[in-house]
Amino acid sequence: MWFSLWSMNSRPSSSLPWQTKPVTISELLQRSAELTASDSAVLDTELLLSHALNVSPTYLKTWPDRQPDSDCVTTFAALFQRRLRGEPIAYILGYQGFWSLDLKVSQHTLIPRPETELLVETALELQLPQQSSVLDLGTGTGAIALALASERSDWKVTALDFQAQAVALAEENRAAHQLHNVQILHSDWFAAIPAIKFDLILSNPPYIENNDPHLSEGDVRFEPASALVSGAEGLNDLIHVIGHSAAFLQPSGWLLVEHGCDQGSRVRALFAEAGFSAVETRCDYNQMDRITLGQLRPC
Ligand SMILES: C[S@@+](CC[C@H](N)C(=O)[O-])C[C@H]1O[C@@H](n2cnc3c(N)ncnc32)[C@H](O)[C@@H]1O
């Protein structure tokens, strides 16, 4: 879900005595007890320690009595303090897994969420031409575009974002995974799109209400508002994307969008108004309305 259970109640410890004397891996892992506000405290601690020691999580379990050198312990202490302050693990480690890819992340855009994989999964199930052209609006790290491009080397994928730093990040991720069938553009939604028609448009746009109280809690506090909020009802960007997509789709082209769990009926109505048929909302793994898709009605 959008909001993790990491709460504002988490307080960093003022001193970390275990930084100054030799400690074992097992003792360092026990620090997970301090991450009282995290719903994944043990895993968080394992990830941070294996990152600081540059070893696999399996190594930590295999050698619990080893004493890491003091530099590694100091590095771990610094990472652990950031997590104590509530910073998301992905920002601390600098990457996040999405689909089959490890993606670099930064504070300029959203950390890809597991539920967004439903957009990718659904897109891959559609009956589309073999050499489809695909557009990902608001690509962030490039998650959706790169996942699709990695599965369908014959698809030509265009991805865009209006944040220059997100465009640079998505390009870095594209290059790291050597996905040559993706081009990444700097654009305010459709403004800089070339005059071609796509077989499929996808978007996970900002869809949180401006005043949603969750914005000041948990991991989401560290993510940019430009990737999250979209007007009083959270619908401004969905209205824009759904309202303008038809002009950029082939006859019978598909549109897939992610949205909030309470936005399904509004989004389906927007699809119908914009000329889409076969409109359907699908649930994520938590059985919450999460994506809506529709096919453009041929004229
Ligand atoms: C919810 S995030 C999704 C990021 C990525 N697609 C994902 O699923 O992880 C929304 C993205 O839309 C971008 N965005 C917001 N407004 C935009 C606009 N007017 N034009 C283009 N991109 C926009 C944000 O910068 C952000 O990267």
Side-chain angles (χ1 to χ4, degrees):
M1 294 305 306
W2 276 101
F3 306 111
S4 91
L5 296 180
W6 186 273
S7 82
M8 291 290 279
N9 300 330
S10 154
R11 284 206 186 78
S13 356
S14 51
S15 65
L16 292 169
W18 41 278
Q19 270 179 267
T20 54
K21 57 178 187 188
V23 281
T24 64
I25 284 176
S26 167
E27 285 169 323
L28 290 169
L29 287 174
Q30 285 166 29
R31 297 294 125 187
S32 63
E34 292 175 35
L35 292 175
T36 49
S38 172
D39 55 351
S40 53
V42 171
L43 179 63
D44 293 356
T45 311
E46 284 174 2
L47 287 170
L48 295 176
L49 188 55
S50 54
H51 188 74
L53 272 53
N54 198 20
V55 298
S56 70
T58 311
Y59 178 100
L60 303 179
K61 298 210 166 74
T62 313
W63 306 106
D65 296 329
R66 291 221 168 147
Q67 294 180 340
D69 67 43
S70 62
D71 284 353
C72 288
V73 175
T74 304
T75 302
F76 170 68
L79 301 177
F80 193 78
Q81 280 291 359
R82 288 170 66 185
R83 187 63 185 134
L84 276 172
R85 284 189 209 102
E87 191 172 341
I89 282 283
Y91 283 158
I92 302 173
L93 300 180
Y95 69 88
Q96 170 71 36
F98 181 83
W99 200 251
S100 61
L101 310 171
D102 268 345
L103 298 176
K104 188 171 173 185
V105 298
S106 84
Q107 74 277 18
H108 299 297
T109 189
L110 191 87
I111 298 164
R113 305 292 202 268
E115 55 268 29
T116 301
E117 292 182 357
L118 182 61
L119 270 186
V120 175
E121 210 175 293
T122 306
L124 293 172
E125 286 169 8
L126 297 173
Q127 299 296 320
L128 292 172
Q130 204 170 10
Q131 297 190 325
S132 284
S133 57
V134 176
L135 174 64
D136 172 23
L137 295 163
T139 198
T141 56
I144 297 166
L146 300 181
L148 289 174
S150 72
E151 293 290 333
R152 294 281 195 276
S153 56
D154 50 343
W155 285 6
K156 196 164 178 290
V157 182
T158 301
L160 64 86
D161 207 285
F162 78 152
Q163 290 290 353
Q165 296 96 332
V167 173
L169 180 68
E171 176 55 29
E172 217 180 306
N173 282 322
R174 186 207 63 73
H177 290 285
Q178 298 189 12
L179 293 165
H180 304 297
N181 52 335
V182 185
Q183 66 164 341
I184 297 162
L185 305 176
H186 189 204
S187 178
D188 183 351
W189 295 136
F190 298 92
I193 292 296
I196 62 164
K197 302 259 185 185
F198 296 89
D199 298 291
L200 167 66
I201 298 178
L202 307 101
S203 187
N204 174 17
Y207 57 73
I208 310 271
E209 295 171 18
N210 284 342
N211 294 326
D212 190 314
H214 292 101
L215 291 168
S216 56
E217 296 171 11
D219 285 12
V220 83
R221 286 172 293 151
F222 291 81
E223 293 178 295
S226 57
L228 295 167
V229 298
S230 190
E233 295 178 287
L235 287 166
N236 289 2
D237 290 297
L238 282 161
I239 290 169
H240 186 91
V241 164
I242 298 165
H244 289 78
S245 283
F248 294 87
L249 278 171
Q250 294 281 7
S252 305
W254 287 89
L255 172 65
L256 274 66
V257 299
E258 180 171 325
H259 52 75
C261 57
D262 54 353
Q263 294 171 333
S265 63
R266 279 298 304 278
V267 169
R268 286 193 296 279
L270 290 168
F271 267 67
E273 278 165 33
F276 288 89
S277 58
V279 177
E280 183 193 341
T281 296
R282 294 196 182 170
C283 291
D284 62 22
Y285 312 110
N286 295 310
Q287 303 313 315
M288 311 282 244
D289 279 2
R290 184 57 58 198
I291 71 164
T292 293
L293 63 154
Q295 187 172 27
L296 196 59
R297 273 193 294 268
C299 307

